[in-house]
Amino acid sequence: MLLLFRWLIRIVTVLMGISVLAALIGYWFLSRSLPDYDEDFALQGIAGPVEIVRNNDNVPHIFATQDKDVYFALGFAHAQDRLWQMTMLRRTAEGRLSEMFGARTAKIDELMRRFDLEGLARRSLTVQDAATLEALEAYSAGVNAWIGQVNEGARGRGAPEFFFFSNEIAAWQPADSLAILKLMALQLSGQLEPEVLRARMSLLLPGPRLKDILPDVPGPGIAALPDYASLVPGVAPSAAPLRIAQDPLSPFLRQEFAGASNSFAAAPARSAAGGSLLANDPHLGFTAPSLWYLARLQLQSGGVIGGTIPGMPLVLVGRSEALGWGLTTAYVDDQDLFIEEVNPANPEEYRTPEGWKRFETRRTILQVKDAKPVTLTLRWTDNGPVLPGSHYDIGSVTPGGHVASLGWTGLSGADTSMSAAIRLMHAKTRAEAEEAGSLFIAPAQNLMLADRDGIAMQIIGAVPQRDPAHETQGRMPAMGWKPQNRWQGMLPYAENPRFNDPVSGILGNTNNKTIDRPFPLHLGFDWGDTQRIQRFLTLMKTREVHTRESFIEAQLDTVSPAARTLLPLIGADLWFTGAPAPEGTPERMRQTALDLLAKWNGEMNEHLPEPLIYQAWMRALQDRLIRDDIGPMADEFLHIEPDFLERVYRNVEGAQVWCDVVQSAAVETCTDIARLALDEALLTLSERYGRNVESWRWGDLHQAAQDHPVLGDVSGLRYFVNIRQSTSGDDHTLMRGRTKGTGDNPFLNVHGAGYRGVYDFADPDSSVFIISTGQSGHPLSRHYDNLGERWRRGEYIPMTLDPQLARAAAVGVTSLVPAAE
């Protein structure tokens, strides 16, 4: 027995030694792709010496004598830190994910091929101006220079992920950067889903109740639309929820995740230091690493610094010495769904105003890993590409003998958005920036501007020109062969709203309704916010003058105007009522929760229980109000809809009818439903977190889920590649943390400000910025998540354009020199 024990010890020791050795070997191979930021390179493609000075936070400051060498170095730096992310973005735009991930992504690739972003990008390359073409070509050369170094120097295949998947990296092309910009436009365009949802709901609910659950933004409305059944006969009502893919690799996001942001500015007269102020925090889906990458470029027109996106040669949001610019999604209705009649005598034709016309058709082959190739037939109409019925469940609103096509401004083969962005980066005045915006096509954005003299907001992007007689005003699918439903081109850029130096001295946008112009000069009917803007206005009015610190406070504000409005309404007949209840009973738990909420100021602080109680209560309440009326379609309303709940509890136009459960004999009141919903929420939470209500903590559930989109679900690896952090805020706070809405934890924070910047033109070098993870995409790098904790705590890092300060804080200087001929 002793001998056996000794042999077991020896075997275990040997196995442990082998495991340690294997781990060390694996670490050595994976760490080979960590770049040395102090290395020197002699490279083809540059005209003179270039320096990439990296500070302690791995922010590259790029210095060269020619702009094209600066763009070359930016491509080189992007590839050093984010090569895997760049190739994934490119593969997504090309519709080539299935070559690596197999059948899982085949449907995603099929849709991307139908949109043909790659082909449109190649066609758009010919319409860029000379400066943009030079930037694209130099940037591509820089990316390829690093790929060449990876191949020549055995640098761990360029990124750890390439050990698990294909390590073939095609050379970067200028059109790839345009395709990624179009991919961003696709992710930020969310007008298709509301059309399908509104059509489906109009078949289930009468007009007044449809207005309750899908309310217009408060303010002057529009004339009532005809119901969808009268426009498109042959579509049966259905309560089945929409089929919308939620794969983390999919660029087709639900509307509530299709982009949001905050941006606000103060004129010198409203600034304590006498210089303009600008703050911007674009909201996108969280990933590890962040989509954003901080960089400083020293161009011939001056230095620029801010947020870049790997794959594109530009500072998308940031500032120069003279100008600051920020972006928010404009919620322009730039997508329309068209129902196309197919010729019953010839399925290759569809109806147009002039008669039958052949579809524009071509075939493409989809390569699928571990499966046979798939041949796809792609069809386009005059209105746009024909989409499958499964996409956003379009088939549920498409009658037999018809197909659906999509009109979208981003489907342009003459897209000059990249030229607009490059010109914006070189602009020295607000006027030059506004002029650059005329070239912007998609996605439509609110461009917030500030210079030393004043502030402005210009809406940029193409806005479809619709016929005043359009049958659905673009709010539901429309018959594509009727002339009045087709687009009449684009509105002139001069028609895009512009706000210059307002009398108040303050400009702001939180994806709220910006103008109230009647159709067809409107921008859209569906907006991204009605709540955050109220809190913004309150904060701006509380001070006569603002500072960088007050703008930071506003950017990080976690008070929910929705909670402050809804709780007094919904709990009006519940506060401080009822007899004292014994400890441990549901009634006592309800009284405790109500007592906490009664003393709460609406701050969605991660350390408090009140935000969790409020969120769980409102979710349960909304579900109870709508599920008995619309059945499983209630699953489409993943988030609290404050406008709907307020309409019900204020009984706007008889909206209290939602409180009565139509399937019961009794007539329930809104107070009854509120009490039942609260008890349901508390029971669910107590089963998971115990009965001590005071010990519950919002941040335990509202964690920022910055997960690796590929390796984040792999057992063992997820703990190394995913970044999870407790966070404050919610869907309706200025520091927005959009909740997931589904799954075991619907309160997970999955969408928010991956970049924050605040610029003070009274002292430009005091400007600050931050991203939500780190600069590197390499999980073994200390820069993979080193900025994340500061981001979570609401901290920033300095944002200077002073070359001496950049060099003084350098932890690595990469020198690039032209290679000898």
Side-chain angles (χ1 to χ4, degrees), residues 363-558:
R363 295 181 183 275
T364 185
I365 297 177
L366 194 67
Q367 300 292 338
V368 183
K369 182 182 177 182
D370 300 327
K372 294 181 179 180
V374 178
T375 301
L376 301 174
T377 300
L378 311 179
R379 296 190 294 175
W380 281 59
T381 71
D382 293 341
N383 295 314
V386 174
L387 300 181
S390 59
H391 185 48
Y392 288 101
D393 219 7
I394 292 171
S396 64
V397 295
T398 306
H402 296 70
V403 295
S405 67
L406 177 69
W408 174 41
T409 56
L411 297 172
S412 168
D415 190 339
T416 51
S417 298
M418 183 66 75
S419 292
I422 294 289
R423 291 190 187 186
L424 173 61
M425 192 168 58
H426 287 272
K428 294 183 179 297
T429 65
R430 287 175 287 151
E432 289 180 10
E434 290 167 354
E435 183 180 353
S438 65
L439 297 176
F440 205 83
I441 305 298
Q445 298 283 290
N446 299 305
L447 175 63
M448 191 71 70
L449 299 166
D451 59 19
R452 289 184 174 86
D453 301 321
I455 59 176
M457 188 175 80
Q458 168 72 58
I459 295 177
I460 60 175
V463 180
Q465 182 170 342
R466 295 179 177 88
D467 192 307
H470 192 294
E471 291 181 309
T472 71
Q473 300 184 343
R475 306 194 75 185
M476 294 189 294
M479 297 297 195
W481 62 87
K482 294 186 176 181
Q484 68 268 32
N485 294 336
R486 292 188 159 203
W487 289 357
Q488 315 295 314
M490 300 294 151
L491 291 175
Y493 181 63
E495 296 283 354
N496 285 16
R498 177 180 299 178
F499 309 87
N500 262 307
D501 291 323
V503 174
S504 67
I506 297 288
L507 282 171
N509 183 263
T510 61
N511 312 117
N512 56 286
K513 185 177 182 178
T514 49
I515 59 165
D516 187 35
R517 297 193 308 203
F519 180 87
L521 293 179
H522 75 314
L523 293 182
F525 295 112
D526 296 295
W527 300 89
D529 173 57
T530 61
Q531 303 296 314
R532 302 196 313 273
I533 190 62
Q534 301 303 322
R535 181 61 180 170
F536 165 76
L537 292 172
T538 299
L539 293 178
M540 293 300 105
K541 292 174 182 177
T542 56
R543 292 173 178 260
E544 183 63 31
V545 293
H546 286 271
T547 64
R548 185 194 70 169
E549 284 67 31
S550 72
F551 266 37
I552 289 175
E553 289 174 11
Q555 204 170 63
L556 302 177
D557 187 80
T558 59

Side-chain angles (χ1 to χ4, degrees), residues 75 251 429 483 489 554 561 610 669 735 753:
T429 65
E610 291 91 342
T669 68
M735 193 178 85

Side-chain angles (χ1 to χ4, degrees), residues 247-328:
D247 193 297
L249 295 177
S250 175
F252 302 100
L253 308 177
R254 300 196 65 114
Q255 185 201 24
E256 54 260 46
F257 302 114
S261 305
N262 298 319
S263 189
F264 35 95
R270 293 293 302 272
S271 168
S276 298
L277 293 163
L278 189 148
N280 185 213
D281 52 295
H283 302 166
L284 296 169
F286 287 141
T287 64
S290 168
L291 186 65
W292 294 101
Y293 181 93
L294 303 172
R296 177 267 175 86
L297 312 180
Q298 186 63 43
L299 301 168
Q300 297 300 299
S301 58
V304 293
I305 191 166
T308 72
I309 292 178
M312 296 191 289
L314 53 89
V315 173
L316 193 60
V317 291
R319 74 169 184 90
S320 63
E321 288 287 359
L323 183 72
W325 62 97
L327 298 171
T328 62

Side-chain angles (χ1 to χ4, degrees), residues 343-359:
N343 187 350
N346 183 357
E348 300 300 318
E349 296 179 339
Y350 66 100
R351 184 184 295 278
T352 73
E354 294 78 31
W356 300 111
K357 183 178 181 178
R358 288 187 67 86
F359 290 102

